[in-house]
Amino acid sequence: MSLAKSPWIIHVNVNSCNGCDIEVVACLTPLYDAERFGVLNIGTPKQADIMVVTGSVNYKNVNVLKNLYNQIPDPKVVLAVGACASTGGIFHDCYNVVGGVDQVIPVDAYVPGCCPRPEAILDGVVAALSILENKKKGNIKGKEVKLKGNEVPSNA
Amino acid sequence: MNTNDILLAVLVLIGAPIIGCIASGIDRKITARLQGRVGPPLLQPYYDVKKLLSKDNMVVNPSQNFYVVVYLVFIVLSLLMLVFKQDFLMIIFVYTVASIALIVGGMSTGSPYARIGSSREIMAILSYEPVLILYALAIYLLTGTFKLSAVVDASSPLLVYTPLIFIAMIVVLNIKLKKSPFDYSTSHHGHQELVKGMTTEYGGPGFATIEIAHFYEYVFLTGLIFLFWASNPIIGVLLGIIAYLLIIVIDNITARVYWQWMLKLSWSVLLIISIVNIAFLYVSGVQLA
Amino acid sequence: MIENTVMLLIIVPILFSLLFVALPKSLYKYLAWAFFIIGVALSVNLVLDGTGVVQIGEPNFAMFENIVLILEVLVILFILAVSAKYKNWPTLGLGIVSAALFAYTFTNVPGAEGASFNIDQFSQIMILIVNIVGTAIILFATGYMDEYEEHRHLHRQKTFYFTMSFFLAAMNGLVMADTLGWLFLFWELTTLCSFVLISYNMDEEGINNGFRALALNLVGGIALSIGIILLATKYEIITLSGIGTYAGTDAAAMAAVALPVALLCIGGFAKSAQMPFQSWLLGAMVAPTPVSALLHSSTMVNAGVFLVVKLVPAFAGSSLGTAIAVYGSFTFVMCSALALSQRNAKRVLAYSTIANLGLIIASAGIGTPLAVAAAIMLILFHAISKALLFLCTGEIEHTIGSRDIEDMSGLINKAPLLTTLAALGMVSMLLPPFGVLLTKWVSMEAASSNPVVIVFLILGSALTTVYYAKWLGTILSSSMDKNAVPHKKPETYFPLSFLGLAIVVTSIFVFSIYNYFIKPQVEILLKTAPVISGQAGQFTSEIGAFAYAAIFVVLALAVLIYLATKNMFTPRTSSYYMCGENNLEKDRLMFRNGLCSYEKSSVSNIYLQNTFGESKLTTLGYAISIILIVIALAGVGL
């Protein structure tokens, strides 16, 4: 139970339009007060349990996302927030976009919507908690994602 | 060392983190209420530590956790020495070992953010250490010894003769607890210009060690305030609690300042009022009854 | 027995200095090892011989006295010749004044019938420092100087080793001599040797700094010789211990000799590079590192504080003592503040040395038994720690090619053993349970009765913590690049490890050292022993207690806990947090910027140049320290 009572999140914005980010921040306001559940928005991946990613992934920030993912100690879960993070959204066929977050790192839970409401995001965090507990119990380690150096579009 | 002493030591070793944990929980609860939120459960710091201990031990270099272990054991040692009424000057030096260990731990990771936090914490030492030693000097002048037993055994409170040092010590408490406006070496909300300052690279068990050491440190620092009215333990404890609550309120109503501002405040106002207080003690030659 | 050891202590270093000249460079390594072993054996032998006074009477005295006279003439002639050659007029002027004073002494002061060496516990400690730390430094030099000379295209190693060894001989004589005339000779010999060593590089900077050292030390020497003349003509005191016997604890006698004693102290201040004289020690940084280490830790500067501490019975408790205490503590706080603003590691160490000597002088000035004990202990612990730190800085400079503190970040990855030793040296300077902090604690407790001194000590102590902490953090920080070539020669690493070990051992056995050396010495000086009770493992004075053993135990406990829990949690390593922008191709300290090119991230410590910089504080320091000396002199003159 220890993990579920104190989920610390790191919020990563990859190529987001900031709509989802505002909603993520709204979760921490007095109205929704995510800290009731022990949720803290922590700045460093070294102390985080849940990685909240907003926005579609583009070639410029693939390495950033992989790096941050590798720097989170296990057990950890990744939560894709918003349509872009889940599938690439309306940007999915842009020339510089790789796609959803799951194209780069393993994602455990998706929160769809453009933008998702804060309640939905909190619901996603709560859903992630049980996954986190399962990972701890099953001693499942996230695999290290290899970096390939500078990512460039294959058609460039 | 007789049985009573050992019992007391064990009591401190077990009791202090519990008190510190609850104090930390109260802090978060009050902060939430001041912001109009419900806030986390009272035992949230305990859940946090328990969680951190169950995570992987992720480090940048193998030695970084050594420094936090040193930090922990020396905080515990200085608390024990306080409880056993040892030489106050000595306690301050032992406490300095702990502070330096945390700073070196932060710097040892090599991370730019941790090094910024550590540099600022070094400046914090420059700000608070003279005040702490002047406090020790005041105790010497009033009792003729640096040993704390004289303060505890006296029948009149220290605060009557050292009001200015008390004010300075409240600010020192603020600096040491890393609360706003002096929270620039590690911030409690980690998405700012220095991320998490000194503790940026600590996660899992290493960070849990730091948190546990903080619990002990809370008790140690309020213990220093307790000494101002040690003749009556109930008033002394009340004084400690009031000081702690005051720090939490200050934390919530102020914004972070430049470290230069703190250095100026400390070396002008705090040092001068402390020295004025000391000069008064010299001139009047009063003794603690 | 003891006579032989005393003579050997002076003759053997001279013999070695001649051997260094006679033998080829390839044999220096073995010579230095032999010198080290013989130095250790001789100094330990002196301690085992016990204390006592060695009288040199007829028939040998006349011969020795003539040798002393000839040497003094030679010293003065050398000073005159060299300052004339380089057209350094101030030094020439001071040399002429010295010559005049010498001529005056020779004609007007009645000659003595004998001379004596006084071996007390303090001399034993000094002999141990000089002959163990000093020879360890020479041993280090054999592994250091080749590369140093190669960089600078110099071939002066014969001069170097000759002077270094001769320096030790002069220093041995200085700390054992009781006759003031002889002491003065050794005093001037160390001045001369330091001049030769500082101007070793023979470039303009080196020679200028050498002359500065010579001139400032000549000022001190002149004060010293006037003091000696006054003592001999007015009070018929011709020995160092005679001053203490004359002044005793009698206030009237103390006031009578106050002026010559103050002059002798000024000589000591100049030698110890206290505030108005501090520039010579900073200038001495241009010399090779072994020279700095030798001057700063075990020999030159210690001569000054040695003299001041020896004079304690003549000013303990008087107004002169208070003035000296205020003066010393002022130097302590001022130089600590100056050290804070320095980036150059050797300058940090130089200011730290001056500050610590100020602390020793302040403790001596306070003059209570506790304070004098602190002063003597601080001389011992400071010598070991500072020698280690200087030698480490020299080796670091050869490893990474810089003595800038900022360039030392990541050193722990490049040269782990060297960094560990340097870190031990720094920790021993500022944290308990090591000796320096213990003595700082004792002197603070002793100073607590003097408001000005204690406030200065408190501020200086905080500043000391700060400038060592940031250096310590910098060398222990890890970085990913590994561009360094550690040199692993036994001649360099043995002295370093030996000194590191010595720090730990002396700190553990501090109570035995106190009981064996310091307590009897304070009894000799002040007729009362400090009220320090307690057993091994704890220092208990009348006003406090320092449980250093407990701290050692806790430190060991920390290591045990760390080792035990190291593998309890799944260990993983990762690179550090750089907002995810860590790059793999290059040095990992780089951020990728918006144009996909790389920019180096660099973090520097805080130096507060605008507050504590040399340009801000030096003038103030000169002004106040000169005022303090004038006040002290005016006070005793009236």
Side-chain angles (χ1 to χ4, degrees), chain C residues 572-599:
Chain C
R572 278 180 60 188
T573 41
S574 75
S575 52
Y576 46 68
Y577 176 66
M578 297 266 278
C579 302
E581 288 284 15
N582 309 52
N583 60 78
L584 290 179
E585 309 87 64
K586 308 209 172 169
D587 159 10
R588 305 200 182 184
L589 265 171
M590 290 190 161
F591 276 103
R592 199 171 55 160
N593 65 16
L595 298 170
C596 282
S597 58
Y598 290 97
E599 273 179 34

Side-chain angles (χ1 to χ4, degrees), chain C residues 6-7 10 52-57 61 64-65 112-119 173-183 186 238-242:
Chain C
V6 169
M7 282 301 139
I10 297 174
V53 176
V54 177
Q55 289 289 351
I56 311 261
F61 173 69
F64 283 122
E65 185 71 11
E113 288 85 44
S116 57
F117 288 101
N118 183 9
I119 314 296
L174 176 64
V175 297
M176 293 189 299
D178 199 25
T179 309
L180 286 170
W182 289 27
L183 187 137
F186 291 124
I238 55 159
T239 60
L240 194 53
S241 52

